[in-house]
């Protein structure tokens, strides 16, 4: 059974991270991926949309794949169906992504464990925005 990192570990990871690649980020303001990314940007994170067929989201250049993103990302935040996580884990391993955050409602234990076995720090079935607010109430 997959267990998420402790609150202290999550707090530390969020403190040390600055650049978040959002896989499946929608250009539609009504979608959760758009709202969460917009708020995380307001909290000081650099957001990198990863979504094929769009050139930008929230004024940020969008990339078709994680492999196409220039430079290092600190967290890969996933808003995709659980059945699509395996190739995202492959991309995280290939690009050397240090952390994978699988959003609330998305559960694929095999993919999460494979990422963890490859040395990637993993959170699954949790909302990065909700955890940020809960863990940094005084700063949000």
């Amino acid at each position: 059974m997959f267990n998420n990192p402790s609150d202290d570990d999550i707090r530390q990871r969020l403190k040390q991270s600055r650049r978040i690649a959002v896989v499946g980020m929608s250009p539609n303001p009504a979608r959760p991926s758009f709202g969460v990314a917009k708020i995380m940007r307001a909290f000081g994170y650099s957001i990198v949309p990863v979504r094929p067929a769009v050139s930008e989201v929230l004024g940020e250049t969008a990339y078709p794949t994680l492999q196409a993103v220039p430079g290092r990302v600190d967290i890969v935040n996933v808003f995709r169906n659980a059945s699509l996580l395996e190739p995202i884990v492959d991309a995280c391993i290939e690009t050397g992504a240090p952390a994978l955050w699988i959003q609330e409602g998305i559960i694929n234990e095999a993919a999460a464990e494979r990422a963890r076995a490859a040395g990637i720090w993993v959170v699954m079935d949790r909302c990065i925005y909700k955890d940020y607010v809960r863990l940094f109430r005084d700063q949000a």
Side-chain angles (χ1 to χ4, degrees), residues 78-79 101-106 124-128 130:
V78 179
F79 285 87
W101 194 296
I102 304 164
Q103 277 295 131
E104 190 173 58
I106 305 168
M124 181 172 65
D125 190 25
R126 301 270 289 268
C127 176
I128 194 169
K130 289 178 183 177

Side-chain angles (χ1 to χ4, degrees), residues 64-87:
T65 65
L66 198 53
Q67 293 92 328
V69 174
R72 175 183 164 87
V73 297
D74 299 309
I75 298 173
V76 174
N77 186 18
V78 179
F79 285 87
R80 300 287 291 149
N81 187 288
S83 67
L84 303 174
L85 278 175
E86 291 294 343

Side-chain angles (χ1 to χ4, degrees), residues 92-113:
C92 288
I93 293 168
E94 184 181 326
T95 62
L100 174 63
W101 194 296
I102 304 164
Q103 277 295 131
E104 190 173 58
I106 305 168
I107 301 168
N108 183 327
E109 291 200 14
E113 290 292 359

Side-chain angles (χ1 to χ4, degrees), residues 10-67:
I10 292 171
R11 186 181 294 108
Q12 187 59 36
R13 179 67 60 166
L14 289 172
K15 274 185 191 177
Q16 70 188 28
S17 298
R18 295 285 35 113
R19 192 168 187 233
I20 302 172
V22 184
V23 177
M25 186 173 168
S26 175
N28 180 348
R31 301 294 299 166
S33 61
F34 184 96
V36 167
K38 185 176 181 180
I39 292 168
M40 294 308 289
R41 186 170 71 174
F43 290 156
Y45 294 91
S46 171
I47 299 299
V48 181
V50 178
R51 183 168 181 117
V54 297
S55 59
E56 65 90 21
V57 183
L58 278 173
E60 303 288 344
T61 300
Y63 297 91
T65 65
L66 198 53
Q67 293 92 328

